[in-house]
Amino acid sequence: MKLSLHEARVIGCLLEKEVTTPEQYPLSLNALTLACNQKSSRDPVLSMTETETQMAIDSLMKRRLVTDQSGFGSRVVKYKHRFCNTEFSDLQLSSAQYALVCLLLLRGPQTPGELRTRSNRLHNFEDVASVESTLLTLTQADPAIVHQLAREPGKRDSRYEELLSEQSKGAPAPMAQHSPEHSDNTQRHESSDEVEKLSARVTLLEKEVTMLKEALHELLN
């Protein structure tokens, strides 16, 4: 599944509105275009015309990822996704997975902390660890739905991005080394560093104690 930018935006909006405004879902062409062009909660911000939205819908319908629906007596055609969690979908996501995939489609690469902050209308994550745990299930899917990007210089946390669209991908994070020998060497190196740090602190404290004793002796005399 490699979605174009416009297709990814359409799918993301349908996923979002199904949960956040169920009373307005499915969406008309006009409502879907407005959702695609929202200035908030979107990255990048787009300016899709209704014609461009319709072209994306038509392409998705050919791939059976979107279907149309007309209410009884209504002349307005409305659209809903068949992207996941339907009897027609191979992809079945939990509520937590659904929320993260939706956010990544709509807002691009994000850190677990950003995802937790932005997910409150879609799913309630208790903490960042629960976001990371859910991201791990998506990275381990076959095929992977999400991957972790290499951490940017000066940044504390790595970002994650979806692998469903054809947008340019960043460099993935390097694989961790798991060999026992490597692990033992790393632990020994870390232990040696800790010993050296502790030894240096003890030496410094001893010097400070000596200086304090000398100062006290001078005051008393």
Side-chain angles (χ1 to χ4, degrees):
M1 188 186 302
K2 289 297 180 184
L3 305 171
S4 69
L5 175 61
H6 287 178
E7 290 171 343
R9 181 59 55 89
V10 166
I11 290 291
C13 290
L14 291 174
L15 291 173
E16 177 190 57
K17 301 305 181 183
E18 181 183 26
V19 176
T20 61
T21 56
E23 70 282 358
Q24 298 175 15
Y25 184 84
L27 301 181
S28 66
L29 176 61
N30 177 258
L32 184 51
T33 302
L34 291 175
C36 289
N37 293 336
Q38 274 184 210
K39 297 188 182 301
S40 62
S41 304
R42 303 288 186 266
D43 189 10
V45 173
L46 301 179
S47 298
M48 294 171 61
T49 65
E50 288 195 358
T51 299
E52 289 173 325
T53 305
Q54 187 66 65
M55 289 174 63
I57 291 170
D58 292 344
S59 175
L60 291 166
M61 289 181 68
K62 289 178 182 178
R63 299 163 70 177
R64 301 186 179 182
L65 295 175
V66 166
T67 186
D68 58 352
Q69 175 178 307
S70 300
F72 180 75
S74 173
R75 296 181 180 180
V76 178
V77 178
K78 295 189 174 183
Y79 301 95
K80 61 181 180 179
H81 75 85
R82 290 169 53 174
F83 173 77
C84 66
N85 297 6
T86 74
E87 64 271 29
F88 307 105
S89 311
D90 292 331
L91 188 59
Q92 301 294 317
L93 302 175
S94 68
S95 173
Q97 292 172 329
Y98 183 107
L100 296 185
V101 169
C102 177
L103 288 172
L104 292 171
L105 284 170
L106 290 176
R107 303 183 73 149
Q110 296 160 78
T111 66
E114 290 171 333
L115 288 166
R116 187 197 175 208
T117 300
R118 296 164 176 171
S119 64
N120 59 324
R121 296 184 67 200
L122 295 165
H123 180 82
N124 182 30
F125 288 98
E126 292 184 0
D127 48 34
V128 174
S130 60
V131 176
E132 293 173 336
S133 177
T134 304
L135 287 167
L136 182 61
T137 66
L138 293 170
T139 64
Q140 293 177 341
D142 186 20
I145 299 171
V146 164
H147 79 163
Q148 181 181 6
L149 296 174
R151 190 166 59 218
E152 298 175 322
K155 300 291 186 180
R156 186 181 67 177
D157 299 318
S158 296
R159 297 185 301 166
Y160 289 77
E161 71 174 351
E162 48 79 20
L163 295 172
L164 299 166
S165 69
E166 60 187 19
Q167 307 313 303
S168 59
K169 305 300 175 188
M175 296 295 291
Q177 298 291 334
H178 296 293
S179 68
E181 182 180 353
H182 175 83
S183 179
D184 290 343
N185 289 338
T186 300
Q187 290 176 1
R188 283 196 292 270
H189 179 69
E190 290 175 349
S191 297
S192 178
D193 287 346
E194 289 298 321
V195 170
E196 290 180 5
K197 289 178 182 178
L198 287 172
S199 178
R201 289 189 63 187
V202 169
T203 301
L204 179 61
L205 288 170
E206 287 176 344
K207 289 181 179 179
E208 290 178 348
V209 169
T210 300
M211 292 173 63
L212 287 171
K213 284 181 178 180
E214 292 175 352
L216 181 60
H217 180 72
E218 290 178 2
L219 286 172
L220 294 175
N221 295 317

